[in-house]
Amino acid sequence: MKRAVKVTVNGKAYAHEVEPRLLLVHYIRDMLGLTGTHVGCDTSNCGACTILINGRAVKSCTLLAVQAEGASIQTVEGLATDGKLHPIQEGFWEEHGLQCGFCTPGMMLTAVDLLQRNPDPTEEQIRMGIEGNLCRCTGYQHIVNSIQHAARKMRGAAGRATPR
Amino acid sequence: MAVSKLFGAKIKRREDPRLITGRATYTDDMQISGLAYAEIVRSPHAHARIKRIDVEAARRQPGVVAVFTGKDLQGVINPIPTAWLIPNADLKTPPHPALAVDTVRYVGDGVAVVVAEDRYAARDAAAQVRVDYEILPAVVDQQQAMAAGAPLLHADVPNNQAFKWALGNGEATAAAFKEAARDGVVIAQRFLNQRLIPNAMETRSVVARYNSGSGDLTVWYTTQNPHIARFLMSVVTGLPEHKIRIVAPEVGGGFGSKIPFYADEAIVVFCARKTGRPVKWTEDRRENYLTTIHGRDHITDLEVAARRDGTITALRGKTWANLGAYLSTAGPGIPTILHGLMLTGCYTIPNLDYVVYGVFTNTTPVDAYRGAGRPEATYLIERIVDLVAAKLTLDPADVRRKNFIPPDKFPYTSAEGLAYDSGNYGPALDKALAAVDYRRLREEQKRGPRNGKLLGIGLSTYVEICGLGPSSVVGSTGFQGGLWESAVVRLHPTAKATVFTGTSPHGQGEETTFAQVVADELGLPIDDIEVVHGDTAAVPMGWGTYGSRTTVVGGAAIVLAARRVREKAAKIAAHLLEAAEKDIVFDQGRFYVRGSPDKAKTIQEVTLQAYLAWNLPPGVEPALEASAFYDPTNFTFPFGSHVAVVEVDAETGQVALKRYVAIDDCGRVINPLIVDGQVHGGLVQGIAQALYEGAAYGRDGQLITGTMADYAVPKAHMFPTFETGRTETPSPHNPLGVKGVGETGTIASTPAVVNAVADALRSYGITTHLDMPLTPERAWNAIHGQRREVKAR
Ligand code: FES
Ligand code: FES
């Protein structure tokens, strides 16, 4: 019944035998123990489970673990490198982009994807760009500021925008 | 108190590093060895008799550890109690079994529980539990539930009436109405305050572990108030309170929905005891919609009496509050104490006659949702003030000013009997109107619609009750607890500080604001201070986080404890400096004799001496820590003025919120960044009630808006950039001068937006009453029902 799945998560290779019906988000949380990726709904609406798969933001509750075979995955735990926060993390911290923090990992990864595609988004583009991610605490305004902060920083840094 | 450098500073939050790196532990993140998973089998019917439950097939499923039904819990798990026994209201408290035994009363009522090796196995097995139901007629509307012949939910609760609560002076109010009918105006309107679903992003979750050897129960779970949970867990399970430890790990938002003690935590504890395994249960979102409390759901008939100059003389009304199928923990108190007592708002309205019926229906229980009763009150008064202005063709800002409680009348005793601590309402309104350039907007509005867009300006001048609360007063309202707060400030030998608070923040940032306060009081670097909360084994008794009380009451306890620490340190410093205590000055972490600041002992040196205890003054005990239990003398009453500017598209009925200005007065501000965040979050929830959100039930009691795909949790692009500002009127009785800000945005914004839409329509000659949410369909029907041509300009 079980099927093999091999993935790279935050640069580390994993191989497991999993039930074909296992959701990717449960694989990441329960089998890999990476609980920074959250589950907020069962209808693909909230975005709390957002991760990067091959660099693009994906809701990990909408995929089966077996569908991620061979993928390179990044979760919130892999955002900071060598103990240094990613600009999006700095942005959320500086601009008070989080309250309870539950939506934050997904929100940040969506923002990373957004900034990759559009390094200098307008406020409107940011608000539209995060429409797949719900936050019940912040009223979004400080999230917008956080993403703008990160955008400035990443444009300034002009180097590698996203760790892969 | 001395103004220092951290009080008032925009400091980034100290809780954030763990949250932005994915290193925080929410309840569902917990892993402990031997963990089993529970799945609760829930009724698909709103009202039914349980004829038979067959769990044999479920028991045979792979990975199943145990299956239990309501009968197994009988006599072991006591009924789930309500904790707000409002007096003089003939309150009925029918039993609420944790798992239903004979009758299910709402869709989602638990009937059985399966414990299995993992989440998937538990769910598979739960699907195999066979329940034979005899479906009974259901009722979801509170007025219909009180009508003759309506299905009855509970034996011994005639007409499904849980209580009838009355307030005010009927005779004087009737006289005021008589006078207004003769010489002034009387306006009557029915208002619906629709049911909302809180939608904290983290659903509820429980992990319970019972040690049969020691008799210790540990429960990690999503609660806003671990000590209340411990107390109620003891009542419900019969386990002694000192053997119960409740931990609220990281909690992903609550908004009131994680205050109640739910049946689910008792069920999970039962499972852990029976199976000898630690058990985890995590709600999925569908379950959250069905079983986590809902908010609001009032039907109100309100009348207002006013003189021709706009002076409001009386309010009279009746509200039918839908309580759902059972009384939730604070259920009866929300539509009465926290609602009725704030009805006259920030106005000198002398007469009031108000009745609230609490009603059982076959729906999810209703309890505190952000604002909890106060948004409903503010909605009524702020809407009806606008109706008075419209009827008398007066400017709504002028009518408000005319009725404001004047600044020299504070402390002010309202018609409801509350003593508002301080207020100065005019300046906040002036500031808000100036921010939008009110006069220019009114002129623009007079020029008529532009491109088919109707301009509307809506005001909301609110006051709310926060800082819950003086224990003797809340006790007199039937609340089964005190609402004081505890703090311990403990300095370690190296002068690092651990601060314990009985509050339980879950996003509000008090790990930062409290550290700011302590840093100032003790002259310590903020990084040397840790704030601990949410664990009954670590923290003395406390009452938790809700009702905008955390900084107000919990912060006050902390400042008192810190001052006690400082006083003791000053005694030791005086001894070390060979001076009299009265000559000791404390400044920025240094103790010295007045006049000789260069010969000082630092707080670090003094703390070390306190622990070494080699040379303490006579009668002074070693160590340096202090506790405080602060019971406020009064509530606090934050206030403010909000202005919403909308455009209603006459062709489509679409409402666009163009600008939103919030001028709030929450007393002194400890951290402006955090206060802004609280205001923004509150605004979105309040505006969403006005425009987007609303729970809907089918007649059969099925929740139609039962998923995030059906219920409009608002998104980022639905809002403009909020313009926030403040006035500052400190609370005179609070040691920090603070008033609380967690709920202001939600309380104020709903009527501001609805008033703006009504104003837009009125400018166009349409006076149809609209109920929330103001969807394009509703606005369109109002406009096109009256068949107006939209003139181009
Ligand atoms: S958990 Fe909500 S979108 Fe994935
Ligand atoms: S910070 Fe709580 S849901 Fe976004």
Side-chain angles (χ1 to χ4, degrees):
Chain A
M1 253 303 258
K2 290 201 170 176
R3 288 198 24 199
V5 59
K6 279 204 191 91
V7 289
T8 307
V9 181
N10 303 328
K12 197 169 159 194
Y14 294 91
H16 284 97
E17 297 271 308
V18 301
E19 274 192 65
R21 64 173 176 170
L22 181 70
L23 293 178
L24 180 57
V25 68
H26 288 148
Y27 174 71
I28 291 171
R29 287 178 54 78
D30 296 344
M31 294 189 75
L32 305 188
L34 296 171
T35 55
T37 303
H38 299 147
V39 180
C41 72
D42 33 30
T43 48
S44 297
N45 286 94
C46 76
C49 61
T50 306
I51 57 172
L52 298 183
I53 298 186
N54 301 328
R56 296 301 303 269
V58 172
K59 292 178 175 177
S60 63
C61 72
T62 63
L63 280 185
L64 302 169
V66 292
Q67 289 176 291
E69 170 64 24
S72 171
I73 290 174
Q74 194 184 4
T75 69
V76 63
E77 288 90 346
L79 263 181
T81 39
D82 305 328
K84 202 176 148 4
L85 294 180
H86 185 279
I88 195 69
Q89 292 171 308
E90 285 178 18
F92 271 73
W93 194 9
E94 288 293 333
E95 300 289 342
H96 187 24
L98 60 147
Q99 291 181 22
C100 78
F102 197 78
C103 70
T104 313
M107 200 64 89
M108 290 194 302
L109 290 163
T110 296
V112 167
D113 183 7
L114 171 70
L115 294 178
Q116 263 170 183
R117 288 179 286 116
N118 181 358
D120 190 10
T122 62
E123 169 170 352
E124 183 66 22
Q125 288 168 332
I126 293 174
R127 286 183 182 267
M128 290 308 294
I130 60 172
E131 72 152 0
N133 292 70
L134 299 175
C135 173
R136 195 60 158 170
C137 296
T138 62
Y140 299 106
Q141 191 149 322
H142 283 163
I143 292 180
V144 171
N145 296 350
S146 303
I147 297 173
Q148 286 171 333
H149 183 108
R152 278 195 302 276
K153 205 122 188 190
M154 288 161 77
R155 286 199 307 277
R160 192 183 58 154
T162 319
R164 289 283 166 95
Chain B
M1 85 174 243
V3 177
S4 62
K5 60 183 204 305
L6 290 186
F7 198 113
K10 213 169 159 175
I11 289 182
K12 57 183 187 177
R13 295 202 320 170
R14 312 175 72 237
E15 35 278 88
D16 288 358
R18 65 176 187 264
L19 296 164
I20 56 178
T21 55
R23 262 71 180 182
T25 305
Y26 297 85
T27 304
D28 189 61
D29 301 342
M30 300 265 319
Q31 280 299 344
I32 35 183
S33 70
L35 193 61
Y37 293 78
E39 175 79 13
I40 296 169
V41 180
R42 299 186 180 280
S43 167
H45 306 295
H47 199 190
R49 193 152 294 131
I50 301 171
K51 295 205 302 202
R52 208 171 67 92
I53 304 181
D54 180 356
V55 299
E56 285 320 308
R59 269 196 187 123
R60 286 195 302 271
Q61 285 285 306
V64 168
V65 176
V67 184
F68 304 107
T69 66
K71 289 217 171 80
D72 299 310
L73 270 65
Q74 259 182 333
V76 186
I77 296 295
N78 294 316
I80 308 302
T82 185
W84 207 332
L85 305 174
I86 55 167
N88 309 319
D90 190 21
L91 177 68
K92 304 284 197 298
T93 56
H96 175 192
L99 285 176
V101 178
D102 309 313
T103 309
V104 289
R105 296 184 173 86
Y106 71 102
V107 176
D109 215 351
V111 292
V113 58
V114 174
V115 183
E117 296 297 338
D118 67 56
R119 298 177 205 266
Y120 287 59
R123 187 163 292 197
D124 285 346
Q128 299 300 319
V129 172
R130 299 271 168 257
V131 188
D132 240 349
Y133 292 104
E134 177 195 337
I135 297 175
L136 303 172
V139 62
V140 299
D141 174 278
Q142 57 266 51
Q143 279 194 310
Q144 285 169 13
M146 284 184 66
L152 288 183
L153 269 82
H154 301 277
D156 308 327
V157 183
N159 307 318
N160 296 309
Q161 182 183 309
F163 63 77
K164 178 184 176 186
W165 182 84
L167 174 73
N169 183 334
E171 253 171 57
T173 303
F177 269 93
K178 208 177 252 172
E179 189 192 318
R182 209 170 45 232
D183 304 324
V185 286
V186 170
I187 302 166
Q189 181 62 54
R190 165 160 289 206
F191 295 100
L192 304 185
N193 201 297
Q194 82 272 32
R195 182 181 281 245
L196 300 179
I197 301 181
N199 273 295
M201 279 299 125
E202 178 204 30
T203 58
R204 289 184 298 122
S205 181
V206 182
V207 175
R209 181 176 64 191
Y210 181 73
N211 183 326
S212 58
S214 65
D216 290 327
L217 171 71
T218 306
V219 187
W220 293 266
Y221 91 98
T222 49
T223 174
Q224 299 177 219
N225 28 250
H227 292 88
I228 295 181
R230 181 180 63 177
F231 171 72
L232 292 174
M233 186 66 82
S234 165
V235 168
V236 171
T237 62
L239 292 170
E241 197 178 358
H242 70 296
K243 289 297 210 179
I244 301 173
R245 175 183 173 202
I246 306 278
V247 186
E250 212 72 63
V251 175
F255 317 110
S257 72
K258 292 171 182 170
I259 297 171
F261 186 92
Y262 290 90
D264 308 305
E265 31 267 37
I267 297 168
V268 177
V269 165
F270 175 88
C271 291
R273 289 191 69 186
K274 281 284 169 188
T275 62
R277 298 269 300 266
V279 176
K280 181 193 278 186
W281 167 82
T282 300
E283 211 179 36
D284 66 22
R285 182 59 67 182
R286 166 84 182 148
E287 223 175 353
N288 174 271
Y289 272 61
L290 291 177
T291 67
T292 292
I293 59 102
H294 294 172
R296 320 278 192 260
D297 205 343
H298 288 192
I299 299 172
T300 301
D301 284 332
L302 192 66
E303 288 176 281
V304 62
R307 299 203 185 102
R308 302 227 135 255
D309 67 354
T311 304
I312 299 173
T313 54
L315 289 175
R316 184 162 63 190
K318 278 196 179 79
T319 284
W320 291 264
N322 195 335
L323 303 175
Y326 302 100
L327 297 179
S328 181
T329 306
I334 307 300
T336 52
I337 311 302
L338 290 180
H339 168 71
L341 294 183
M342 291 309 294
L343 210 62
T344 58
C346 54
Y347 310 111
T348 50
I349 302 174
N351 302 301
L352 174 71
D353 181 3
Y354 195 53
V355 176
V356 180
Y357 298 96
V359 189
F360 289 115
T361 63
N362 296 108
T363 62
T364 301
V366 177
D367 202 323
Y369 169 56
R370 200 171 192 170
R374 293 154 288 165
E376 297 91 318
T378 306
Y379 184 67
L380 294 175
I381 182 68
E382 289 305 301
R383 286 287 294 122
I384 211 142
V385 167
D386 260 34
L387 295 184
V388 169
K391 181 103 177 193
L392 295 168
T393 55
L394 296 171
D395 188 292
D398 294 337
V399 174
R400 285 177 167 80
R401 271 199 203 93
K402 181 156 221 64
N403 290 284
F404 273 163
I405 301 161
D408 58 356
K409 286 282 190 295
F410 290 91
Y412 170 83
T413 304
S414 68
E416 295 89 334
L418 290 171
Y420 292 7
D421 58 345
S422 62
N424 191 3
Y425 302 150
L429 178 57
D430 295 342
K431 201 168 172 177
L433 295 180
V436 293
D437 200 347
Y438 186 62
R439 206 160 307 156
R440 192 188 54 76
L441 281 176
R442 284 286 174 217
E443 260 147 36
E444 197 180 321
Q445 189 184 39
K446 275 202 201 99
R447 289 197 289 272
R450 196 182 353 203
N451 302 328
K453 304 264 169 61
L454 318 178
L455 177 68
I457 309 129
L459 311 183
S460 169
T461 51
Y462 73 95
V463 60
E464 61 147 331
I465 181 170
C466 283
L468 313 183
S471 300
S472 63
V473 180
V474 296
S476 72
T477 71
F479 184 74
Q480 300 300 296
L483 282 177
W484 46 267
E485 205 38 84
S486 75
V488 173
V489 174
R490 177 178 300 156
L491 290 191
H492 304 285
T494 53
K496 312 287 181 199
T498 307
V499 177
F500 299 87
T501 172
T503 63
S504 197
H506 42 280
Q508 297 86 346
E510 274 90 358
E511 288 176 35
T512 303
T513 40
F514 287 170
Q516 286 177 253
V517 167
V518 173
D520 280 356
E521 291 295 329
L522 297 180
L524 291 172
I526 192 165
D527 288 339
D528 287 357
I529 301 164
E530 191 69 23
V531 176
V532 174
H533 57 81
D535 183 347
T536 61
V539 178
M541 179 67 197
W543 297 93
T545 287
Y546 42 83
S548 303
R549 67 185 300 275
T550 305
T551 306
V552 182
V553 190
I558 283 171
V559 85
L560 296 184
R563 285 173 192 171
R564 282 174 194 166
V565 165
R566 199 174 66 201
E567 278 159 29
K568 181 171 176 185
K571 270 197 181 68
I572 298 170
H575 181 71
L576 295 173
L577 291 164
E578 297 175 348
E581 200 190 328
K582 64 173 176 28
D583 296 329
I584 295 291
V585 177
F586 180 70
D587 182 35
Q588 311 217 6
R590 299 165 76 249
F591 295 93
Y592 55 84
V593 179
R594 187 168 292 108
S596 21
D598 37 324
K599 228 182 112 226
K601 292 281 175 202
T602 63
I603 180 94
Q604 286 78 10
E605 289 171 301
V606 173
T607 307
L608 181 62
Q609 289 307 319
Y611 280 94
L612 293 176
W614 294 338
N615 180 19
L616 293 179
V620 170
E621 291 175 1
L624 202 46
E625 77 169 68
S627 59
F629 296 85
Y630 172 76
D631 200 352
T633 54
N634 191 2
F635 302 97
T636 54
F637 294 85
F639 61 90
S641 288
H642 289 203
V643 184
V645 181
V646 302
E647 278 178 5
V648 180
D649 187 324
E651 210 168 306
T652 64
Q654 184 81 40
V655 176
L657 181 58
K658 303 306 278 186
R659 287 184 70 185
Y660 196 94
V661 170
I663 306 297
D664 296 297
D665 193 320
C666 56
R668 297 188 66 206
V669 169
I670 299 173
N671 187 327
L673 194 60
I674 288 177
V675 167
D676 277 343
Q678 289 297 309
V679 171
H680 295 161
L683 290 179
V684 158
Q685 288 179 1
I687 295 167
Q689 173 168 25
L691 296 180
Y692 308 120
E693 290 183 32
Y697 277 96
R699 252 184 246 269
D700 56 358
Q702 294 295 334
L703 182 62
I704 294 167
T705 52
T707 74
M708 272 187 174
D710 305 293
Y711 183 89
V713 180
K715 301 173 180 192
H717 65 78
M718 296 170 163
F719 304 94
T721 302
F722 302 127
E723 302 161 60
T724 59
R726 281 185 273 278
T727 61
E728 192 171 302
T729 311
S731 166
H733 62 82
N734 182 278
L736 293 165
V738 300
K739 287 193 162 189
V741 74
E743 296 162 295
T744 56
T746 315
I747 289 167
S749 59
T750 310
V753 173
V754 174
N755 280 342
V757 174
D759 182 63
L761 298 179
R762 197 181 301 114
S763 76
Y764 199 56
I766 294 163
T767 51
T768 320
H769 171 79
L770 289 183
D771 280 311
M772 304 181 288
L774 303 175
T775 56
E777 184 192 357
R778 285 184 178 169
W780 190 92
N781 279 331
I783 297 166
H784 295 267
Q786 298 188 6
R787 287 271 165 223
R788 294 274 313 237
E789 279 301 310
V790 181
K791 291 168 295 218
R793 181 174 111 214

